[in-house]
């Protein structure tokens, strides 16, 4: 099933079922029962749509064992990662930044995996780790830094759980510096 929740704030009404049931059933059943569930929800404080519509809870959910959290930034990722999430036998939460809903773009290339980060810009002096709407802020900042002679590498995380440590560590080991762009508190 695909559950659509208007904003992530309202997911808290179902938090017990998401966190204590869907996320734990595989473990509690000794690996016998999966919960193939996809929950899509809008996230982000950037549009400032009042107290009930402006939270970013993806980091909070990423701390819950048994839940996978993906955070697409591009049209192609939003399109293709949904299909990949449907193939996962475990709960996948898709957080889509509401500020990106009017974005246009090509739906290609087809995403073939959703738990791997993507290098969106190469650099040597700094790694900027970003996801969702933060990716575009990171790319803009990297362009501005380039004018100052600082070459920033931009990594689009795409998934917060599981986190692609291999790509993150690889980038930071090249640049020796990291900056994290996050819209949450």
């Amino acid at each position: 099933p695909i559950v659509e929740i208007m904003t992530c704030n309202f997911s808290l009404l179902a938090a017990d079922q998401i966190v204590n049931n869907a996320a734990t059933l595989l473990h509690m059943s000794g690996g016998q029962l999966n919960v193939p569930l996809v929950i899509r929800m809008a996230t982000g404080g950037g549009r400032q749509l009042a107290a009930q519509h402006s939270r970013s809870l993806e980091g909070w959910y990423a701390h819950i064992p048994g839940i996978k959290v993906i955070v697409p930034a591009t049209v192609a990722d939003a399109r293709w990662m949904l299909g990949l999430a449907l193939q996962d036998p475990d709960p996948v939460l898709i957080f889509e930044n509401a500020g990106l809903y009017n974005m246009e773009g090509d739906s290609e290339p087809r995403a073939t995996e959703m738990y791997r980060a993507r290098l969106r810009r190469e650099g040597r002096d700094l790694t900027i780790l970003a996801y969702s709407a933060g990716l575009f802020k990171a790319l803009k900042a990297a362009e501005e830094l380039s004018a100052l002679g600082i070459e920033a590498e931009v990594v689009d995380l795409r998934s917060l759980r599981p986190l692609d440590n291999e790509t993150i560590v690889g980038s930071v080991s090249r640049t020796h510096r990291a900056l994290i762009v996050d819209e949450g508190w």
Side-chain angles (χ1 to χ4, degrees):
I2 302 174
V3 177
E4 177 84 27
I5 299 178
M6 187 172 89
T7 68
C8 66
N9 306 60
F10 300 133
S11 72
L12 297 179
L13 296 170
D16 184 41
Q17 291 74 28
I18 296 169
V19 172
N20 293 323
N21 295 126
T24 61
L25 194 57
L26 181 65
H27 175 72
M28 291 176 25
S29 70
Q32 297 178 57
L33 298 173
N34 292 85
V35 180
L37 169 68
V38 174
I39 303 175
R40 291 181 62 218
M41 50 192 131
T43 186
R47 294 179 60 196
Q48 300 171 350
L49 298 173
Q52 318 85 319
H53 297 83
S54 298
R55 291 201 180 120
S56 297
L57 299 177
E58 57 273 10
W60 184 76
Y61 277 109
H63 283 82
I64 307 298
I67 292 177
K68 295 173 182 168
V69 175
I70 59 174
V71 283
T74 66
V75 172
D77 278 351
R79 176 179 181 195
W80 297 112
M81 290 170 88
L82 175 61
L84 294 172
L86 289 169
Q87 296 172 28
D88 197 300
D90 299 311
V92 177
L93 276 54
I94 304 174
F95 287 86
E96 299 166 342
N97 192 291
L100 299 178
Y101 278 159
N102 292 326
M103 187 170 77
E104 294 182 13
D106 194 357
S107 66
E108 296 296 334
R110 176 184 269 256
T112 56
E113 54 188 347
M114 63 183 173
Y115 301 123
R116 299 270 317 161
R118 257 205 195 130
L119 183 64
R120 298 290 184 177
R121 185 182 196 280
E122 291 186 11
R124 67 178 183 279
D125 301 313
L126 165 70
T127 296
I128 303 176
L129 303 167
Y131 65 89
S132 193
L135 172 65
F136 302 102
K137 295 172 185 171
L139 289 169
K140 183 178 182 211
E143 285 299 317
E144 292 177 14
L145 288 170
S146 182
L148 300 172
I150 301 168
E151 293 302 321
E153 186 156 287
V154 178
V155 176
D156 179 3
L157 296 176
R158 300 173 70 229
S159 171
L160 299 183
R161 185 177 187 103
L163 198 57
D164 182 1
N165 291 320
E166 182 181 337
T167 300
I168 294 168
V169 170
S171 178
V172 175
S173 67
R174 284 189 300 276
T175 66
H176 303 288
R177 292 172 186 86
L179 172 71
I180 299 169
V181 178
D182 178 32
E183 200 170 291
W185 291 95

